[in-house]
Tab-separated table of all heavy atoms in Angstrom:
chain	number	residue	atom	x	y	z
A	1399	MET	N	4.037	0.172	16.976
A	1399	MET	CA	2.933	0.466	16.052
A	1399	MET	C	3.207	-0.137	14.667
A	1399	MET	O	4.310	0.058	14.185
A	1399	MET	CB	2.737	1.975	15.939
A	1399	MET	CG	1.388	2.375	15.445
A	1399	MET	SD	1.008	4.088	15.765
A	1399	MET	CE	2.201	4.917	14.674
A	1400	PRO	N	2.234	-0.847	14.068
A	1400	PRO	CA	2.468	-1.386	12.749
A	1400	PRO	C	2.762	-0.310	11.752
A	1400	PRO	O	2.304	0.829	11.852
A	1400	PRO	CB	1.188	-2.102	12.410
A	1400	PRO	CG	0.446	-2.246	13.668
A	1400	PRO	CD	0.897	-1.100	14.562
A	1401	ARG	N	3.535	-0.683	10.756
A	1401	ARG	CA	3.874	0.257	9.673
A	1401	ARG	C	3.941	-0.447	8.375
A	1401	ARG	O	4.576	-1.542	8.278
A	1401	ARG	CB	5.180	0.886	10.020
A	1401	ARG	CG	5.535	2.035	9.091
A	1401	ARG	CD	6.563	3.011	9.589
A	1401	ARG	NE	6.577	4.104	8.639
A	1401	ARG	CZ	5.831	5.163	8.777
A	1401	ARG	NH1	5.030	5.333	9.759
A	1401	ARG	NH2	5.843	6.082	7.813
A	1402	VAL	N	3.384	0.057	7.346
A	1402	VAL	CA	3.530	-0.490	5.966
A	1402	VAL	C	4.334	0.428	5.063
A	1402	VAL	O	4.155	1.657	5.180
A	1402	VAL	CB	2.134	-0.763	5.318
A	1402	VAL	CG1	1.469	-1.944	5.989
A	1402	VAL	CG2	1.243	0.462	5.313
A	1403	THR	N	5.173	-0.113	4.275
A	1403	THR	CA	5.883	0.668	3.321
A	1403	THR	C	5.714	0.090	1.932
A	1403	THR	O	5.524	-1.116	1.777
A	1403	THR	CB	7.416	0.738	3.636
A	1403	THR	OG1	7.903	-0.604	3.844
A	1403	THR	CG2	7.674	1.528	4.864
A	1404	PHE	N	5.650	0.958	0.953
A	1404	PHE	CA	5.329	0.573	-0.401
A	1404	PHE	C	6.596	0.928	-1.290
A	1404	PHE	O	7.029	2.057	-1.268
A	1404	PHE	CB	4.198	1.388	-0.932
A	1404	PHE	CG	2.890	1.004	-0.276
A	1404	PHE	CD1	2.591	1.485	0.987
A	1404	PHE	CD2	1.933	0.224	-0.930
A	1404	PHE	CE1	1.337	1.165	1.598
A	1404	PHE	CE2	0.754	-0.120	-0.345
A	1404	PHE	CZ	0.460	0.384	0.949
A	1405	ARG	N	7.066	-0.089	-2.053
A	1405	ARG	CA	8.049	0.246	-3.084
A	1405	ARG	C	7.299	0.788	-4.259
A	1405	ARG	O	6.973	0.109	-5.193
A	1405	ARG	CB	8.867	-1.022	-3.439
A	1405	ARG	CG	9.969	-1.268	-2.426
A	1405	ARG	CD	10.657	-2.584	-2.696
A	1405	ARG	NE	9.869	-3.684	-2.207
A	1405	ARG	CZ	10.234	-4.917	-2.198
A	1405	ARG	NH1	11.398	-5.267	-2.660
A	1405	ARG	NH2	9.452	-5.882	-1.719
A	1406	GLU	N	7.079	2.073	-4.199
A	1406	GLU	CA	6.085	2.676	-5.111
A	1406	GLU	C	6.504	2.609	-6.584
A	1406	GLU	O	5.582	2.544	-7.458
A	1406	GLU	CB	5.909	4.170	-4.778
A	1406	GLU	CG	5.307	4.296	-3.377
A	1406	GLU	CD	4.939	5.744	-3.010
A	1406	GLU	OE1	5.292	6.689	-3.765
A	1406	GLU	OE2	4.297	5.979	-1.976
A	1407	GLU	N	7.752	2.422	-6.871
A	1407	GLU	CA	8.165	2.384	-8.272
A	1407	GLU	C	7.743	1.061	-8.903
A	1407	GLU	O	7.714	0.975	-10.119
A	1407	GLU	CB	9.684	2.648	-8.417
A	1407	GLU	CG	10.556	1.557	-7.962
A	1407	GLU	CD	10.740	1.469	-6.368
A	1407	GLU	OE1	10.179	2.317	-5.668
A	1407	GLU	OE2	11.457	0.559	-5.927
A	1408	ARG	N	7.405	0.043	-8.071
A	1408	ARG	CA	7.053	-1.276	-8.548
A	1408	ARG	C	5.546	-1.429	-8.664
A	1408	ARG	O	5.071	-2.407	-9.263
A	1408	ARG	CB	7.584	-2.373	-7.679
A	1408	ARG	CG	9.048	-2.467	-7.628
A	1408	ARG	CD	9.583	-3.510	-6.674
A	1408	ARG	NE	9.172	-4.847	-7.036
A	1408	ARG	CZ	9.740	-5.983	-6.595
A	1408	ARG	NH1	10.787	-5.932	-5.778
A	1408	ARG	NH2	9.315	-7.179	-6.965
A	1409	CYS	N	4.763	-0.507	-8.145
A	1409	CYS	CA	3.308	-0.686	-8.083
A	1409	CYS	C	2.697	-0.384	-9.496
A	1409	CYS	O	3.045	0.514	-10.196
A	1409	CYS	CB	2.729	0.318	-7.092
A	1409	CYS	SG	0.904	0.321	-7.052
A	1410	LYS	N	1.707	-1.307	-9.800
A	1410	LYS	CA	1.013	-1.168	-11.099
A	1410	LYS	C	-0.445	-0.693	-10.898
A	1410	LYS	O	-1.227	-0.785	-11.832
A	1410	LYS	CB	1.096	-2.469	-11.876
A	1410	LYS	CG	0.388	-3.636	-11.234
A	1410	LYS	CD	0.636	-4.922	-12.015
A	1410	LYS	CE	-0.016	-6.118	-11.288
A	1410	LYS	NZ	0.372	-7.384	-11.839
A	1411	GLY	N	-0.725	-0.254	-9.682
A	1411	GLY	CA	-2.046	0.353	-9.463
A	1411	GLY	C	-3.224	-0.604	-9.648
A	1411	GLY	O	-4.331	-0.163	-10.007
A	1412	CYS	N	-3.041	-1.884	-9.369
A	1412	CYS	CA	-4.116	-2.863	-9.619
A	1412	CYS	C	-5.226	-2.793	-8.613
A	1412	CYS	O	-6.329	-3.266	-8.818
A	1412	CYS	CB	-3.556	-4.274	-9.655
A	1412	CYS	SG	-2.987	-4.856	-8.044
A	1413	GLY	N	-4.886	-2.244	-7.404
A	1413	GLY	CA	-5.944	-2.034	-6.419
A	1413	GLY	C	-6.269	-3.229	-5.507
A	1413	GLY	O	-7.155	-3.151	-4.682
A	1414	GLN	N	-5.539	-4.346	-5.671
A	1414	GLN	CA	-5.808	-5.545	-4.872
A	1414	GLN	C	-5.600	-5.219	-3.326
A	1414	GLN	O	-6.352	-5.626	-2.507
A	1414	GLN	CB	-4.879	-6.648	-5.274
A	1414	GLN	CG	-5.185	-7.258	-6.612
A	1414	GLN	CD	-6.540	-7.865	-6.684
A	1414	GLN	OE1	-6.941	-8.541	-5.731
A	1414	GLN	NE2	-7.260	-7.666	-7.758
A	1415	CYS	N	-4.572	-4.425	-3.077
A	1415	CYS	CA	-4.283	-4.115	-1.652
A	1415	CYS	C	-5.379	-3.207	-1.081
A	1415	CYS	O	-5.752	-3.326	0.103
A	1415	CYS	CB	-2.904	-3.433	-1.524
A	1415	CYS	SG	-2.749	-1.967	-2.535
A	1416	VAL	N	-5.878	-2.298	-1.922
A	1416	VAL	CA	-6.959	-1.360	-1.498
A	1416	VAL	C	-8.147	-2.159	-1.049
A	1416	VAL	O	-8.817	-1.945	-0.021
A	1416	VAL	CB	-7.302	-0.377	-2.595
A	1416	VAL	CG1	-8.435	0.476	-2.167
A	1416	VAL	CG2	-6.112	0.472	-2.969
A	1417	ILE	N	-8.507	-3.206	-1.857
A	1417	ILE	CA	-9.671	-4.041	-1.599
A	1417	ILE	C	-9.401	-4.908	-0.368
A	1417	ILE	O	-10.302	-5.105	0.493
A	1417	ILE	CB	-9.979	-5.006	-2.794
A	1417	ILE	CG1	-10.392	-4.114	-3.990
A	1417	ILE	CG2	-11.018	-5.997	-2.456
A	1417	ILE	CD1	-10.361	-4.891	-5.311
A	1418	ALA	N	-8.167	-5.355	-0.242
A	1418	ALA	CA	-7.844	-6.331	0.900
A	1418	ALA	C	-7.828	-5.694	2.260
A	1418	ALA	O	-8.078	-6.353	3.268
A	1418	ALA	CB	-6.545	-6.993	0.565
A	1419	CYS	N	-7.516	-4.418	2.358
A	1419	CYS	CA	-7.299	-3.808	3.683
A	1419	CYS	C	-8.580	-3.707	4.464
A	1419	CYS	O	-9.549	-3.034	4.021
A	1419	CYS	CB	-6.683	-2.440	3.472
A	1419	CYS	SG	-6.446	-1.565	5.072
A	1420	PRO	N	-8.706	-4.407	5.607
A	1420	PRO	CA	-9.935	-4.354	6.431
A	1420	PRO	C	-10.165	-2.940	7.043
A	1420	PRO	O	-11.306	-2.661	7.385
A	1420	PRO	CB	-9.640	-5.405	7.486
A	1420	PRO	CG	-8.187	-5.439	7.664
A	1420	PRO	CD	-7.662	-5.199	6.247
A	1421	LYS	N	-9.155	-2.120	7.125
A	1421	LYS	CA	-9.289	-0.799	7.693
A	1421	LYS	C	-9.520	0.285	6.647
A	1421	LYS	O	-9.744	1.454	6.940
A	1421	LYS	CB	-8.049	-0.417	8.531
A	1421	LYS	CG	-7.744	-1.416	9.651
A	1421	LYS	CD	-8.838	-1.479	10.686
A	1421	LYS	CE	-8.783	-0.302	11.610
A	1421	LYS	NZ	-9.846	-0.394	12.696
A	1422	LYS	N	-9.405	-0.122	5.368
A	1422	LYS	CA	-9.674	0.815	4.284
A	1422	LYS	C	-8.776	2.081	4.341
A	1422	LYS	O	-9.276	3.199	4.211
A	1422	LYS	CB	-11.172	1.199	4.191
A	1422	LYS	CG	-12.052	0.016	3.997
A	1422	LYS	CD	-11.816	-0.681	2.622
A	1422	LYS	CE	-12.650	-1.966	2.548
A	1422	LYS	NZ	-11.900	-2.968	1.705
A	1423	ILE	N	-7.526	1.875	4.631
A	1423	ILE	CA	-6.628	3.060	4.771
A	1423	ILE	C	-5.674	3.182	3.587
A	1423	ILE	O	-4.899	4.129	3.518
A	1423	ILE	CB	-5.798	2.934	6.043
A	1423	ILE	CG1	-4.962	1.620	6.126
A	1423	ILE	CG2	-6.713	3.055	7.301
A	1423	ILE	CD1	-4.025	1.548	7.324
A	1424	ILE	N	-5.758	2.254	2.593
A	1424	ILE	CA	-4.838	2.373	1.428
A	1424	ILE	C	-5.553	3.157	0.327
A	1424	ILE	O	-6.674	2.856	0.022
A	1424	ILE	CB	-4.451	0.989	0.919
A	1424	ILE	CG1	-3.795	0.151	2.066
A	1424	ILE	CG2	-3.446	1.122	-0.213
A	1424	ILE	CD1	-3.417	-1.283	1.698
A	1425	SER	N	-4.815	4.070	-0.238
A	1425	SER	CA	-5.365	4.885	-1.317
A	1425	SER	C	-4.274	5.010	-2.358
A	1425	SER	O	-3.147	4.604	-2.193
A	1425	SER	CB	-5.782	6.295	-0.781
A	1425	SER	OG	-4.703	6.916	-0.196
A	1426	PHE	N	-4.660	5.649	-3.471
A	1426	PHE	CA	-3.705	5.891	-4.558
A	1426	PHE	C	-3.111	7.282	-4.429
A	1426	PHE	O	-3.829	8.236	-4.217
A	1426	PHE	CB	-4.372	5.701	-5.947
A	1426	PHE	CG	-4.765	4.246	-6.200
A	1426	PHE	CD1	-6.040	3.860	-6.272
A	1426	PHE	CD2	-3.780	3.274	-6.372
A	1426	PHE	CE1	-6.396	2.541	-6.481
A	1426	PHE	CE2	-4.108	1.974	-6.600
A	1426	PHE	CZ	-5.447	1.630	-6.691
A	1427	SER	N	-1.817	7.339	-4.643
A	1427	SER	CA	-1.111	8.622	-4.613
A	1427	SER	C	-1.525	9.527	-5.731
A	1427	SER	O	-1.858	9.002	-6.830
A	1427	SER	CB	0.371	8.378	-4.585
A	1427	SER	OG	1.085	9.560	-4.720
A	1428	GLU	N	-1.413	10.777	-5.584
A	1428	GLU	CA	-1.649	11.764	-6.650
A	1428	GLU	C	-0.597	11.650	-7.717
A	1428	GLU	O	-0.795	11.864	-8.900
A	1428	GLU	CB	-1.644	13.189	-6.082
A	1428	GLU	CG	-2.754	13.501	-5.117
A	1428	GLU	CD	-4.029	13.837	-5.797
A	1428	GLU	OE1	-4.002	14.764	-6.610
A	1428	GLU	OE2	-5.032	13.122	-5.601
A	1429	LYS	N	0.646	11.301	-7.268
A	1429	LYS	CA	1.748	11.338	-8.199
A	1429	LYS	C	1.810	10.049	-9.066
A	1429	LYS	O	1.141	9.055	-8.736
A	1429	LYS	CB	3.060	11.494	-7.433
A	1429	LYS	CG	3.363	10.358	-6.484
A	1429	LYS	CD	4.610	10.625	-5.629
A	1429	LYS	CE	4.796	9.516	-4.687
A	1429	LYS	NZ	5.755	9.803	-3.631
A	1430	LEU	N	2.546	10.132	-10.099
A	1430	LEU	CA	2.784	8.979	-10.953
A	1430	LEU	C	4.118	8.354	-10.677
A	1430	LEU	O	5.086	9.083	-10.438
A	1430	LEU	CB	2.660	9.370	-12.409
A	1430	LEU	CG	1.328	9.830	-12.965
A	1430	LEU	CD1	1.459	10.380	-14.346
A	1430	LEU	CD2	0.287	8.710	-12.967
A	1431	ASN	N	4.216	7.036	-10.791
A	1431	ASN	CA	5.529	6.426	-10.647
A	1431	ASN	C	6.189	6.245	-11.970
A	1431	ASN	O	5.656	6.696	-13.050
A	1431	ASN	CB	5.426	5.111	-9.868
A	1431	ASN	CG	4.654	3.995	-10.628
A	1431	ASN	OD1	4.324	4.151	-11.788
A	1431	ASN	ND2	4.303	2.888	-9.903
A	1432	GLU	N	7.332	5.604	-11.986
A	1432	GLU	CA	8.115	5.503	-13.267
A	1432	GLU	C	7.381	4.692	-14.364
A	1432	GLU	O	7.600	4.900	-15.519
A	1432	GLU	CB	9.478	4.831	-13.006
A	1432	GLU	CG	10.436	5.733	-12.284
A	1432	GLU	CD	11.692	4.934	-11.812
A	1432	GLU	OE1	11.895	3.759	-12.288
A	1432	GLU	OE2	12.456	5.490	-11.010
A	1433	LYS	N	6.478	3.792	-13.864
A	1433	LYS	CA	5.689	2.995	-14.854
A	1433	LYS	C	4.488	3.752	-15.376
A	1433	LYS	O	3.809	3.303	-16.267
A	1433	LYS	CB	5.221	1.720	-14.199
A	1433	LYS	CG	6.294	0.756	-13.897
A	1433	LYS	CD	5.641	-0.540	-13.247
A	1433	LYS	CE	6.637	-1.529	-12.848
A	1433	LYS	NZ	5.991	-2.736	-12.268
A	1434	GLY	N	4.205	4.922	-14.782
A	1434	GLY	CA	3.037	5.686	-15.213
A	1434	GLY	C	1.764	5.356	-14.471
A	1434	GLY	O	0.659	5.703	-14.974
A	1435	TYR	N	1.830	4.768	-13.322
A	1435	TYR	CA	0.717	4.470	-12.498
A	1435	TYR	C	0.709	5.287	-11.256
A	1435	TYR	O	1.760	5.745	-10.778
A	1435	TYR	CB	0.754	2.987	-12.027
A	1435	TYR	CG	0.695	1.996	-13.179
A	1435	TYR	CD1	1.793	1.120	-13.427
A	1435	TYR	CD2	-0.468	1.869	-13.963
A	1435	TYR	CE1	1.732	0.214	-14.464
A	1435	TYR	CE2	-0.471	0.897	-14.991
A	1435	TYR	CZ	0.584	0.143	-15.240
A	1435	TYR	OH	0.600	-0.744	-16.267
A	1436	HIS	N	-0.520	5.497	-10.722
A	1436	HIS	CA	-0.625	6.133	-9.402
A	1436	HIS	C	-0.436	5.023	-8.395
A	1436	HIS	O	-1.225	4.095	-8.270
A	1436	HIS	CB	-2.072	6.746	-9.250
A	1436	HIS	CG	-2.298	7.927	-10.080
A	1436	HIS	ND1	-1.810	9.166	-9.814
A	1436	HIS	CD2	-2.953	8.052	-11.337
A	1436	HIS	CE1	-2.173	10.018	-10.741
A	1436	HIS	NE2	-2.872	9.341	-11.698
A	1437	PRO	N	0.671	5.066	-7.636
A	1437	PRO	CA	0.941	3.953	-6.745
A	1437	PRO	C	0.111	3.998	-5.445
A	1437	PRO	O	-0.297	5.057	-5.017
A	1437	PRO	CB	2.403	4.170	-6.407
A	1437	PRO	CG	2.658	5.649	-6.585
A	1437	PRO	CD	1.722	6.089	-7.677
A	1438	ALA	N	-0.102	2.827	-4.894
A	1438	ALA	CA	-0.838	2.642	-3.679
A	1438	ALA	C	0.042	3.182	-2.478
A	1438	ALA	O	1.265	3.109	-2.597
A	1438	ALA	CB	-1.247	1.252	-3.451
A	1439	THR	N	-0.653	3.722	-1.534
A	1439	THR	CA	0.071	4.246	-0.423
A	1439	THR	C	-0.840	4.344	0.821
A	1439	THR	O	-2.034	4.210	0.716
A	1439	THR	CB	0.704	5.693	-0.729
A	1439	THR	OG1	1.562	6.114	0.341
A	1439	THR	CG2	-0.442	6.697	-0.821
A	1440	VAL	N	-0.210	4.486	1.986
A	1440	VAL	CA	-0.966	4.856	3.202
A	1440	VAL	C	-0.464	6.214	3.674
A	1440	VAL	O	0.735	6.313	3.961
A	1440	VAL	CB	-0.847	3.765	4.329
A	1440	VAL	CG1	-1.534	4.228	5.548
A	1440	VAL	CG2	-1.367	2.432	3.856
A	1441	THR	N	-1.323	7.212	3.777
A	1441	THR	CA	-0.839	8.497	4.202
A	1441	THR	C	-0.519	8.474	5.725
A	1441	THR	O	-0.997	7.608	6.429
A	1441	THR	CB	-1.902	9.589	3.925
A	1441	THR	OG1	-3.147	9.197	4.587
A	1441	THR	CG2	-2.192	9.682	2.426
A	1442	GLU	N	0.318	9.365	6.135
A	1442	GLU	CA	0.761	9.435	7.532
A	1442	GLU	C	-0.366	9.507	8.494
A	1442	GLU	O	-0.351	8.845	9.550
A	1442	GLU	CB	1.714	10.575	7.755
A	1442	GLU	CG	3.151	10.299	7.388
A	1442	GLU	CD	3.773	9.045	8.072
A	1442	GLU	OE1	3.595	8.869	9.285
A	1442	GLU	OE2	4.341	8.237	7.339
A	1443	ASP	N	-1.405	10.261	8.194
A	1443	ASP	CA	-2.508	10.389	9.164
A	1443	ASP	C	-3.309	9.072	9.241
A	1443	ASP	O	-3.955	8.820	10.256
A	1443	ASP	CB	-3.398	11.591	8.734
A	1443	ASP	CG	-4.027	11.396	7.402
A	1443	ASP	OD1	-3.338	11.010	6.499
A	1443	ASP	OD2	-5.256	11.757	7.249
A	1444	LYS	N	-3.305	8.237	8.229
A	1444	LYS	CA	-4.038	7.005	8.238
A	1444	LYS	C	-3.205	5.887	8.824
A	1444	LYS	O	-3.757	4.802	9.284
A	1444	LYS	CB	-4.459	6.599	6.788
A	1444	LYS	CG	-5.424	7.570	6.146
A	1444	LYS	CD	-6.844	7.166	6.362
A	1444	LYS	CE	-7.788	8.088	5.688
A	1444	LYS	NZ	-7.836	7.977	4.267
A	1445	MET	N	-1.911	5.993	8.816
A	1445	MET	CA	-0.997	4.926	9.282
A	1445	MET	C	-1.349	4.463	10.728
A	1445	MET	O	-1.202	3.310	11.025
A	1445	MET	CB	0.431	5.343	9.196
A	1445	MET	CG	1.450	4.284	9.257
A	1445	MET	SD	1.412	3.171	7.876
A	1445	MET	CE	2.357	4.127	6.622
A	1446	LYS	N	-1.811	5.356	11.558
A	1446	LYS	CA	-2.107	5.002	12.941
A	1446	LYS	C	-3.266	4.013	13.063
A	1446	LYS	O	-3.399	3.328	14.066
A	1446	LYS	CB	-2.448	6.296	13.752
A	1446	LYS	CG	-3.625	6.970	13.349
A	1446	LYS	CD	-3.844	8.218	14.174
A	1446	LYS	CE	-5.126	8.972	13.859
A	1446	LYS	NZ	-5.526	9.039	12.464
A	1447	ASP	N	-4.026	3.856	11.977
A	1447	ASP	CA	-5.146	2.923	11.995
A	1447	ASP	C	-4.748	1.519	11.515
A	1447	ASP	O	-5.558	0.579	11.583
A	1447	ASP	CB	-6.305	3.445	11.126
A	1447	ASP	CG	-6.925	4.722	11.710
A	1447	ASP	OD1	-6.921	4.831	12.960
A	1447	ASP	OD2	-7.348	5.559	10.926
A	1448	CYS	N	-3.530	1.378	11.052
A	1448	CYS	CA	-3.047	0.092	10.549
A	1448	CYS	C	-2.953	-0.897	11.731
A	1448	CYS	O	-2.398	-0.581	12.748
A	1448	CYS	CB	-1.691	0.234	9.871
A	1448	CYS	SG	-1.004	-1.358	9.262
A	1449	ILE	N	-3.501	-2.140	11.480
A	1449	ILE	CA	-3.434	-3.149	12.548
A	1449	ILE	C	-2.334	-4.212	12.268
A	1449	ILE	O	-2.245	-5.201	13.021
A	1449	ILE	CB	-4.806	-3.846	12.716
A	1449	ILE	CG1	-5.257	-4.420	11.372
A	1449	ILE	CG2	-5.802	-2.821	13.297
A	1449	ILE	CD1	-6.573	-5.213	11.530
A	1450	GLY	N	-1.556	-3.989	11.203
A	1450	GLY	CA	-0.467	-4.927	10.977
A	1450	GLY	C	-0.926	-6.284	10.488
A	1450	GLY	O	-0.168	-7.273	10.633
A	1451	CYS	N	-2.084	-6.362	9.895
A	1451	CYS	CA	-2.611	-7.720	9.522
A	1451	CYS	C	-1.893	-8.367	8.321
A	1451	CYS	O	-2.020	-9.554	8.122
A	1451	CYS	CB	-4.131	-7.623	9.266
A	1451	CYS	SG	-4.484	-6.691	7.763
A	1452	ALA	N	-1.267	-7.512	7.546
A	1452	ALA	CA	-0.475	-7.967	6.382
A	1452	ALA	C	-1.344	-8.515	5.217
A	1452	ALA	O	-0.851	-9.089	4.312
A	1452	ALA	CB	0.558	-8.997	6.750
A	1453	SER	N	-2.654	-8.279	5.281
A	1453	SER	CA	-3.513	-8.664	4.145
A	1453	SER	C	-3.064	-8.035	2.828
A	1453	SER	O	-3.095	-8.594	1.786
A	1453	SER	CB	-4.974	-8.295	4.446
A	1453	SER	OG	-5.445	-9.041	5.487
A	1454	CYS	N	-2.702	-6.740	2.950
A	1454	CYS	CA	-2.280	-5.977	1.794
A	1454	CYS	C	-1.036	-6.650	1.171
A	1454	CYS	O	-1.001	-6.853	-0.069
A	1454	CYS	CB	-2.007	-4.558	2.180
A	1454	CYS	SG	-0.837	-4.322	3.536
A	1455	GLY	N	-0.053	-6.968	2.001
A	1455	GLY	CA	1.174	-7.568	1.416
A	1455	GLY	C	0.921	-8.939	0.818
A	1455	GLY	O	1.571	-9.317	-0.188
A	1456	ARG	N	0.041	-9.695	1.404
A	1456	ARG	CA	-0.246	-11.071	0.814
A	1456	ARG	C	-0.931	-10.919	-0.543
A	1456	ARG	O	-0.797	-11.741	-1.409
A	1456	ARG	CB	-1.164	-11.848	1.761
A	1456	ARG	CG	-0.367	-12.436	2.917
A	1456	ARG	CD	-1.225	-13.564	3.577
A	1456	ARG	NE	-2.376	-13.072	4.191
A	1456	ARG	CZ	-2.423	-12.586	5.469
A	1456	ARG	NH1	-1.309	-12.552	6.199
A	1456	ARG	NH2	-3.481	-12.107	5.974
A	1457	MET	N	-1.801	-9.870	-0.690
A	1457	MET	CA	-2.562	-9.727	-1.914
A	1457	MET	C	-1.712	-9.189	-3.070
A	1457	MET	O	-2.046	-9.390	-4.234
A	1457	MET	CB	-3.716	-8.817	-1.652
A	1457	MET	CG	-4.846	-9.437	-0.906
A	1457	MET	SD	-5.508	-10.949	-1.623
A	1457	MET	CE	-6.388	-10.272	-3.022
A	1458	CYS	N	-0.673	-8.429	-2.770
A	1458	CYS	CA	0.029	-7.726	-3.798
A	1458	CYS	C	0.833	-8.699	-4.659
A	1458	CYS	O	1.693	-9.425	-4.236
A	1458	CYS	CB	1.043	-6.712	-3.228
A	1458	CYS	SG	1.921	-5.880	-4.556
A	1459	PRO	N	0.507	-8.731	-6.013
A	1459	PRO	CA	1.196	-9.698	-6.876
A	1459	PRO	C	2.658	-9.297	-7.211
A	1459	PRO	O	3.349	-10.091	-7.797
A	1459	PRO	CB	0.345	-9.659	-8.167
A	1459	PRO	CG	-0.394	-8.332	-8.135
A	1459	PRO	CD	-0.551	-7.991	-6.684
A	1460	ASP	N	2.974	-8.040	-6.894
A	1460	ASP	CA	4.325	-7.587	-7.255
A	1460	ASP	C	5.243	-7.255	-6.066
A	1460	ASP	O	6.218	-6.624	-6.244
A	1460	ASP	CB	4.147	-6.325	-8.141
A	1460	ASP	CG	3.519	-6.683	-9.508
A	1460	ASP	OD1	4.258	-6.978	-10.394
A	1460	ASP	OD2	2.322	-6.677	-9.573
A	1461	LEU	N	4.830	-7.822	-4.890
A	1461	LEU	CA	5.725	-7.670	-3.734
A	1461	LEU	C	6.131	-6.250	-3.436
A	1461	LEU	O	7.275	-5.963	-3.120
A	1461	LEU	CB	6.902	-8.584	-3.804
A	1461	LEU	CG	6.622	-10.064	-4.118
A	1461	LEU	CD1	7.941	-10.833	-4.328
A	1461	LEU	CD2	5.791	-10.715	-3.005
A	1462	VAL	N	5.121	-5.355	-3.599
A	1462	VAL	CA	5.431	-3.953	-3.360
A	1462	VAL	C	5.422	-3.561	-1.850
A	1462	VAL	O	6.144	-2.664	-1.479
A	1462	VAL	CB	4.322	-3.098	-4.080
A	1462	VAL	CG1	4.422	-1.603	-3.725
A	1462	VAL	CG2	4.407	-3.323	-5.570
A	1463	ILE	N	4.697	-4.355	-1.069
A	1463	ILE	CA	4.358	-3.885	0.256
A	1463	ILE	C	5.130	-4.661	1.363
A	1463	ILE	O	5.197	-5.913	1.295
A	1463	ILE	CB	2.851	-4.037	0.522
A	1463	ILE	CG1	2.031	-3.357	-0.554
A	1463	ILE	CG2	2.489	-3.448	1.893
A	1463	ILE	CD1	0.586	-3.719	-0.531
A	1464	THR	N	5.734	-3.956	2.288
A	1464	THR	CA	6.336	-4.552	3.433
A	1464	THR	C	5.620	-4.150	4.674
A	1464	THR	O	5.316	-2.963	4.810
A	1464	THR	CB	7.809	-4.114	3.567
A	1464	THR	OG1	8.498	-4.436	2.384
A	1464	THR	CG2	8.533	-4.809	4.706
A	1465	VAL	N	5.254	-5.127	5.519
A	1465	VAL	CA	4.499	-4.804	6.742
A	1465	VAL	C	5.439	-5.108	7.976
A	1465	VAL	O	5.971	-6.179	8.085
A	1465	VAL	CB	3.253	-5.664	6.905
A	1465	VAL	CG1	2.469	-5.241	8.152
A	1465	VAL	CG2	2.359	-5.464	5.650
A	1466	GLU	N	5.610	-4.058	8.777
A	1466	GLU	CA	6.350	-4.250	10.031
A	1466	GLU	C	5.428	-4.109	11.193
A	1466	GLU	O	4.605	-3.234	11.212
A	1466	GLU	CB	7.435	-3.166	10.106
A	1466	GLU	CG	8.488	-3.192	9.091
A	1466	GLU	CD	9.275	-1.901	9.014
A	1466	GLU	OE1	10.226	-1.796	9.798
A	1466	GLU	OE2	8.859	-0.979	8.260
A	1467	LYS	N	5.622	-5.004	12.143
A	1467	LYS	CA	4.724	-4.940	13.350
A	1467	LYS	C	5.430	-4.256	14.521
A	1467	LYS	O	6.606	-4.274	14.636
A	1467	LYS	CB	4.305	-6.348	13.760
A	1467	LYS	CG	3.479	-6.979	12.624
A	1467	LYS	CD	2.528	-7.999	13.114
A	1467	LYS	CE	1.736	-8.587	11.931
A	1467	LYS	NZ	1.025	-9.815	12.248
B	2476	SF4	S1	-1.393	-4.303	7.243
B	2476	SF4	FE1	-3.635	-4.633	7.241
B	2476	SF4	S2	-4.523	-2.791	8.133
B	2476	SF4	FE2	-2.345	-2.317	7.624
B	2476	SF4	S3	-2.513	-1.409	5.579
B	2476	SF4	FE3	-2.123	-3.582	5.278
B	2476	SF4	S4	-4.169	-4.531	5.071
B	2476	SF4	FE4	-4.417	-2.445	5.908
B	2477	SF4	S1	-1.644	-4.718	-4.841
B	2477	SF4	FE1	0.520	-4.149	-5.135
B	2477	SF4	S2	0.629	-3.570	-7.323
B	2477	SF4	FE2	-1.551	-3.616	-6.774
B	2477	SF4	S3	-2.077	-1.535	-6.167
B	2477	SF4	FE3	-1.429	-2.565	-4.299
B	2477	SF4	S4	0.737	-2.196	-4.071
B	2477	SF4	FE4	0.211	-1.718	-6.157
């Protein structure tokens, strides 16, 4: 099953990955990271809908996202 992980401390909350995801499963976390942004994430219940397309990782300007297939 595909899985995405976010290096949340590097995220600047730009939302590019949220827009890019064809399954619309990426959202912003309630918590703040060290930079003071709400980092992008995929919650455990949404992860099962990930198709491993890696659109999110390609769009992220800060290399926050790793996609495993
Ligand atoms: S790999 Fe594709 S489906 Fe999965 S979170 Fe990223 S953009 Fe969405
Ligand atoms: S594209 Fe990268 S920096 Fe922007 S919100 Fe998504 S994970 Fe964060």
